[in-house]
Amino acid sequence: MSWLPLSFGAPMVLFGLLALPVIWWLLRFTPPKPQTELFPPLKILARVLKREETPQQSPWWLTLLRLLMAALVIMALAEPVLNPREKMATGGAGLALVIDNGWASAPDWDKRVATAQRLIADAGASDLPVVIAFTAEKPNADIGPFDANGALDRLRATTPRPIPTDRQAVYARVAETLASMPDASIAVLSDGLEAPGDEQAFRTLLERGAANLVWAAPDRIVPVALTASENEVDGFSLTAIRAPGNPAPARLTAGAFDDKGRRIADAALIFNAGENAATATMTVPFELRNDFASIALDGEHHAGAVRVLDESSKRRRVGLISQAEADQAQPLLSPLYYIRRALSPFADLIEPSNPDLAEAIPQILDQKPAMIVMSDVGTMPEQAQQRLTDWVEGGGTLVRFAGPRLANAGSDDLLPVRLRSGERSFGGALSWTTPQAVADFPASGPFADLAPPREVTVSRQVLAEPSPDIVDRTWAGLADGTPLVTGAKRGKGSIVLFHIAPTATWSNLPISGSFVEMLQRVVQLSRNQGNVEASADTTAAALAPYRMIAADGALVPPSPEARPLTPGARNAVTMENPPGLYGSEAGVLAHNLLSSESRLAPIQPPQAQVPVTQISYAFDESSPLKGPLIAAALALMALDTLAVFWMGGVMARRSRGGSNAATAASMFVLFALPVLLAGNALAQDANPDDARPDDAISIEAVSTTRLAYVITGVSSVDAVSRAGLQGLTRFLVDKTALEPGEPAGVDIAKDELAFYPLIYWPIDPAGPMPDEAAIARIDAYMRQGGTVLFDTRDQYSSGFGEGSASPATQRLRDILGNLNVPPLEPVPADHVLTKSFYMLPEFPGRFNGSPMWVEASLDASNTDNRPVRTGDGVSPILITANDLAGAWAIDADGGPLLPTVPPDPMQRIYALRGGVNIMMYMLTGNYKSDQVHVPILLERLGQ
């Protein structure tokens, strides 16, 4: 029985309320109050005569008290529940609970667990066995059946996995288990995404029959995932997808992070109305793009929103050298034409200004290329050749193409194999042979996973001298067994030789798609010099797990289930090979969750022949009221007892007897018991003076500007905060007209915060987490004009990537999760904060590199007629990770307390100047953005 937010487990008991009038009629009578008489014997004997007495009517308030007590008992017996939930449709011989715990379930996993707990609780109330299975676990995981407690333990021990679901295998196991439990209820808690083979999986699950089906799916598929990232010529391109059926436009921000977790680039991904894919480009120099280690979507906490990057995503400079002059009239005959066309999409090409090898080779090497391609280069000057040799042995990749010059020059030290003099021709007028086709690529070479170009033929080539290692150095060969491409390691680098010319005169390979793939693979090898990738002469070895992407998108150490990954093969994301980085510190291979062909599609509910109940994921907000009602009835009973004692004169007689202790105790219970039983009553401060500062303290606080810091409870952190604000105070006195008082440490749970324009809050995970009341006081302080400067002080300890937040950053997220935080952005170059006193492009502290985050100026307009952007008011929140107080801190002698990282004296000066700008910004706000002051400022400058 449910009445809006209130329901009753035993509603028939409520008919007992009809007996309240009878109870009222019975309770309105009470025995007459006993009289106290002296003991004159004759007077007592005179009153021996019997006389009829009538009961005295009880007071109305006592009758009301007893009626209320009876009503509370009746309602408590009816088992009322506030915000009741409907009982799940479980029945039959048991409950089979199948839960998706793949990557898409991570954002709202707690809701799914709460929903599953209600299903298990309802099955346990009916004493039904529970089969519980998860679609992203090992195939041999135990699925029961369990009792209700065992199923709850299994549920609590399971977490979401950063892998796709495998419904077919899991549903088949559940169907086998249900063979011994006919007519069981089946509950499917899906992640809302379609997976291959869903139709067959549902058919297998329901083919043995079921009492009913409970279907749970998200109301809306929220996740947005990254499917591709490419380091292109003009920038780093990103592609994100979302599930169809969302007509609303959306805007997300993607951040690029280096291997220390520092955010170094951003891009906005915009989904137009009805679109399911969005692209963006991070337009930054390729040197900065090469530092990208991971890409993550802001606000998306799942594995699909993170992509890790390896050497293959880094662009490299490739130098092109040829001794032949380019023919402008016939560009297709240029020896570098097809090489340029093949390499330009994924490399930055550089060419010398002079074809003379004595100048061309040093000129190219001075630009530090990763790979050099030499087309038909014969004999090289000795000095240039020695420098080129040193570059290769230091890690460079040299790719050479044959031609008439190389064929006539013979062998030199910069070739992977020794060559025969001259060239070999097929299919000529005096030749018995025909052009040779390309054979299958050797399994031990870097082209092993490429499809051999069957349409390619070779009519001319340079031949290698036979040697014992010629087979190991052959990367590609012809049908007659002669090498087409050879390669060898030289020091830390590699030398590769194409035994044909890079034009279509010797072979049609340069005009085929395989030519592009082969050159791209060589460039990838150059990007992984000295790495764990496949080398030229060894078979690719399996790579050990290095850093894994967790279900929530964080980069974490590998779990015990993770197994080595074999590079080169098309490895699927599985429990043994979760997404992440494989390799070691020497080099890694990226293994991401989604590919460019991935799509997000909503799951289709099965067509079942049994009753289907659809439910939504939600937390259980029901609250039983039986206990509070019984407690209230007992409190009223105690009050009734005291009232009867008082009316019977017990307290009065005790008082005349000279003992007031019992009376005092009774009165204390009378007035204190309701307060003690009120569970939601707020405790009052025993001393009201402690709740507000003394008048003298208040007057002093409002008459002197003081910097304040939050007392974290960690003595070392609080000492640095105080020393830092003392250092900043001294710098403010020296450089500005502001003379602040001594810094104040504030307890955000008790102290008045309105006296301070700025509060510095160093985040330390070792300190206690503020309670809700303290967070509410900070929220009120920010709404009323105050500003809080949060400093996580973790610039060099935040880990790898956005998701792998440091403990300090995670604590900050927990704090901000309870605050009304406005949209944030790094301080723009035209923000008031950059020019409130000093002209500053950044805000370093003891560390440098983390941006200062402020309230975003989302509605900035009219920028042409103002010196700075409109909307640059005082931000209620500032966030940094650079440890500002550590840079400001001074010792007793006024010297720096802590060193900066790196140890640059000017970094401390810039940190102090940044502190001055912050204080001026707090005190003057956006006055510099007011156009009315410009004439006055110009007039002063003229003086």
Side-chain angles (χ1 to χ4, degrees):
M1 180 177 180
S2 176
W3 294 338
L4 297 179
L6 185 67
S7 71
F8 296 87
M12 298 301 294
V13 179
L14 293 177
F15 284 105
L17 295 175
L18 299 177
L20 289 180
V22 178
I23 297 174
W24 170 79
W25 183 78
L26 294 174
L27 294 179
R28 63 189 298 268
F29 300 108
T30 186
K33 179 180 179 180
Q35 297 182 1
T36 304
E37 299 286 351
L38 298 176
F39 190 68
L42 296 178
K43 192 172 183 180
I44 294 175
L45 293 175
R47 295 181 181 179
V48 172
L49 297 177
K50 296 182 179 179
R51 56 186 176 183
E52 184 179 356
E53 296 179 351
T54 58
Q56 182 180 354
Q57 184 175 352
S58 65
W60 66 269
W61 54 268
L62 183 60
T63 303
L64 180 62
L65 181 70
R66 293 173 175 175
L67 286 176
L68 181 58
M69 181 172 56
L72 290 175
V73 171
I74 294 173
M75 294 186 66
L77 295 177
E79 299 182 359
V81 178
L82 185 64
N83 297 322
R85 64 174 180 86
E86 293 186 11
K87 188 174 181 180
M88 301 296 183
T90 57
L95 171 65
L97 187 58
V98 188
I99 305 174
D100 286 342
N101 65 322
W103 66 271
S105 64
D108 58 350
W109 178 250
D110 292 341
K111 283 187 178 180
R112 300 170 193 266
V113 171
T115 305
Q117 287 175 338
R118 294 197 298 274
L119 286 165
I120 295 173
D122 292 342
S126 302
D127 199 21
L128 298 178
V130 178
V131 175
I132 181 168
F134 300 90
T135 58
E137 293 294 328
K138 293 182 177 180
N140 59 349
D142 188 11
I143 63 174
F146 306 97
D147 58 12
N149 292 331
L152 287 174
D153 293 340
R154 181 79 175 87
L155 176 65
R156 297 188 188 102
T158 304
T159 58
R161 302 283 188 174
I163 61 176
T165 58
D166 186 8
R167 295 194 181 105
Q168 282 188 292
V170 175
Y171 284 14
R173 285 198 62 200
V174 174
E176 293 177 2
T177 306
L178 292 180
S180 60
M181 300 168 56
D183 296 331
S185 296
I186 299 177
V188 177
L189 275 59
S190 72
D191 58 13
L193 291 181
E194 186 180 55
D198 278 351
E199 184 177 354
Q200 177 61 36
F202 288 127
R203 188 182 304 113
T204 302
L205 181 64
L206 299 173
E207 66 183 358
R208 298 181 183 275
N212 61 295
L213 174 65
V214 177
W215 176 262
D219 298 331
R220 184 169 61 92
I221 303 177
V222 178
V224 177
L226 289 170
T227 58
S229 57
E230 188 68 29
N231 200 345
E232 298 179 343
V233 178
D234 300 327
F236 203 98
S237 66
L238 305 173
T239 303
I241 60 173
R242 65 177 180 177
N246 191 347
R251 176 189 176 95
L252 287 90
T253 301
F257 301 84
D258 63 9
D259 56 0
K260 292 183 172 62
R262 295 174 294 194
R263 193 182 188 106
I264 54 179
D266 291 300
L269 290 156
I270 300 176
F271 291 90
N272 295 323
E275 290 185 353
N276 304 323
T279 59
T281 301
M282 295 179 177
T283 308
V284 294
F286 86 94
E287 292 89 351
L288 189 60
R289 282 180 265 145
N290 285 346
D291 290 335
F292 290 180
S294 64
I295 308 291
L297 294 175
D298 294 345
E300 296 289 331
H301 303 294
H302 55 83
V306 178
R307 288 189 72 83
V308 290
L309 308 175
D310 55 15
E311 290 291 325
S312 65
S313 64
K314 293 177 171 57
R315 293 183 68 85
R316 287 291 184 261
R317 285 192 179 101
V318 176
L320 304 181
I321 299 177
S322 174
Q323 290 183 279
E325 296 288 343
D327 189 348
Q328 301 296 331
Q330 294 180 319
L332 296 181
L333 298 180
S334 170
L336 295 176
Y337 176 79
Y338 294 108
I339 296 175
R340 291 192 193 98
R341 295 287 300 271
L343 292 177
S344 59
F346 49 85
D348 291 283
L349 306 181
I350 54 177
E351 299 185 42
S353 59
N354 191 332
D356 184 6
L357 295 180
E359 297 183 11
I361 292 177
Q363 186 179 353
I364 291 293
L365 293 177
D366 289 341
Q367 300 185 56
K368 302 184 183 305
M371 186 173 86
I372 294 178
V373 179
M374 303 176 69
S375 173
D376 191 21
V377 173
T379 304
M380 290 177 279
E382 183 178 353
Q383 187 174 1
Q385 182 173 353
Q386 182 58 45
R387 189 173 176 188
L388 187 61
T389 301
D390 295 340
W391 172 79
V392 171
E393 292 180 349
T397 300
L398 176 62
V399 180
R400 303 184 68 175
F401 281 85
R405 290 184 180 85
L406 181 62
N408 295 326
S411 297
D412 58 39
D413 292 337
L414 291 176
L415 290 172
V417 294
R418 294 187 59 82
L419 300 180
R420 291 182 180 180
S421 256
E423 59 192 58
R424 179 190 184 196
S425 177
F426 302 97
L430 300 178
S431 174
W432 293 95
T433 59
T434 59
Q436 292 292 306
V438 178
D440 292 340
F441 293 129
S444 60
F447 306 146
D449 59 329
L450 300 180
R454 301 300 183 187
E455 74 283 359
V456 170
T457 58
V458 175
S459 58
R460 297 176 68 182
Q461 69 174 148
V462 292
L463 286 176
E465 289 284 359
S467 64
D469 57 356
I470 187 65
V471 175
D472 295 333
R473 298 191 179 192
T474 299
W475 290 10
L478 300 180
D480 63 354
T482 56
L484 174 63
V485 181
T486 55
K489 299 290 290 184
R490 183 68 57 85
K492 296 182 179 179
S494 301
I495 299 177
V496 182
L497 173 63
F498 283 75
H499 291 242
I500 58 172
T503 62
T505 56
W506 288 34
S507 171
N508 60 349
L509 176 64
I511 61 176
S512 68
S514 297
F515 186 69
V516 178
E517 294 178 344
M518 294 168 73
L519 282 182
Q520 184 177 9
R521 182 58 51 84
V522 176
V523 172
Q524 290 175 352
L525 291 176
S526 72
R527 294 173 180 177
N528 293 281
Q529 297 162 4
N531 201 334
V532 293
E533 285 278 9
S535 63
D537 51 4
T538 59
T539 304
L543 306 179
Y546 181 61
R547 291 288 186 273
M548 301 294 100
I549 302 177
D552 61 354
L555 281 174
V556 298
S559 64
E561 294 91 355
R563 295 291 181 266
L565 181 74
T566 302
R570 296 183 61 88
N571 297 284
V573 174
T574 62
M575 181 72 69
E576 289 75 21
N577 293 134
L581 296 171
Y582 291 79
S584 64
E585 293 182 356
V588 292
L589 176 69
H591 185 47
N592 287 297
L593 176 65
L594 302 177
S595 66
S596 57
E597 294 83 15
S598 300
R599 296 292 181 269
L600 302 181
I603 191 173
Q604 300 299 323
Q607 300 297 324
Q609 303 298 323
V610 297
V612 178
T613 303
Q614 295 191 358
I615 61 175
S616 299
Y617 294 122
F619 292 105
D620 189 0
E621 299 179 353
S622 60
S623 300
L625 298 180
K626 182 176 182 179
L629 291 178
I630 292 294
L634 292 175
L636 295 181
M637 183 180 297
L639 293 176
D640 180 87
T641 302
L642 294 176
V644 171
F645 287 164
W646 176 70
M647 293 175 60
V650 174
M651 298 179 183
R653 289 196 298 273
R654 299 284 295 184
S655 297
R656 284 195 294 270
S659 175
N660 293 326
T663 302
S666 300
M667 296 303 295
F668 173 80
V669 174
L670 176 64
F671 292 104
L673 188 59
V675 177
L676 294 176
L677 291 176
N680 59 347
L682 297 178
Q684 301 296 323
D685 201 333
N687 184 4
D689 292 336
D690 293 340
R692 61 176 182 271
D694 187 74
D695 292 341
I697 299 177
S698 301
I699 294 173
E700 180 184 0
V702 299
S703 61
T704 304
T705 301
R706 303 173 68 190
L707 306 180
Y709 64 95
V710 173
I711 299 175
T712 63
V714 182
S715 58
S716 59
V717 175
D718 296 339
V720 172
S721 298
R722 184 170 186 82
L725 295 190
Q726 286 175 340
L728 180 59
T729 298
R730 182 175 300 186
F731 193 84
L732 285 167
V733 172
D734 292 341
K735 302 297 182 181
T736 70
L738 178 64
E739 296 185 1
E742 279 294 310
V746 296
D747 184 348
I748 60 175
K750 297 188 298 184
D751 295 336
E752 178 58 55
L753 307 178
F755 299 140
Y756 311 103
L758 174 71
I759 296 178
Y760 176 80
W761 190 340
I763 304 299
D764 195 294
M769 176 71 184
D771 57 20
E772 294 184 2
I775 295 296
R777 299 182 83 243
I778 285 290
D779 196 33
Y781 167 78
M782 294 169 60
R783 288 199 308 269
Q784 294 164 5
T787 297
V788 181
L789 171 56
F790 294 94
D791 194 342
T792 58
R793 305 171 298 115
D794 61 349
Q795 170 59 24
Y796 290 106
S797 62
S798 57
F800 188 99
E802 180 193 30
S804 60
S806 68
T809 301
Q810 188 59 49
R811 172 61 61 86
L812 177 61
R813 291 176 181 174
D814 296 338
I815 294 173
L816 297 184
N818 298 318
L819 294 175
N820 295 313
V821 179
L824 302 177
E825 66 177 352
V827 174
D830 57 348
H831 198 280
V832 175
L833 196 54
T834 64
K835 58 194 73 178
S836 59
F837 196 86
Y838 292 99
M839 301 293 290
L840 294 175
E842 56 185 3
F843 294 84
R846 186 165 170 244
F847 311 127
N848 192 8
S850 172
M852 176 78 74
W853 293 83
V854 298
E855 181 180 7
S857 301
L858 300 178
D859 300 324
S861 59
N862 191 24
T863 58
D864 296 334
N865 299 324
R866 299 176 70 90
V868 292
R869 301 195 311 175
T870 302
D872 284 329
V874 177
S875 174
I877 182 173
L878 303 174
I879 301 177
T880 184
N882 286 333
D883 192 7
L884 297 182
W888 301 335
I890 58 175
D891 55 20
D893 298 329
L897 186 64
L898 299 172
T900 60
V901 181
D904 183 6
M906 287 304 299
Q907 183 170 320
R908 193 182 307 277
I909 299 298
Y910 292 144
L912 289 167
R913 291 179 180 179
V916 172
N917 274 28
I918 292 172
M919 280 305 300
M920 295 299 106
Y921 173 61
M922 293 301 104
L923 298 177
T924 63
N926 60 351
Y927 112 92
K928 285 197 175 183
S929 67
D930 196 343
Q931 188 71 22
V932 72
H933 294 287
V934 173
I936 300 175
L937 295 175
L938 294 177
E939 181 181 357
R940 284 193 176 186
L941 291 175
Q943 295 175 357

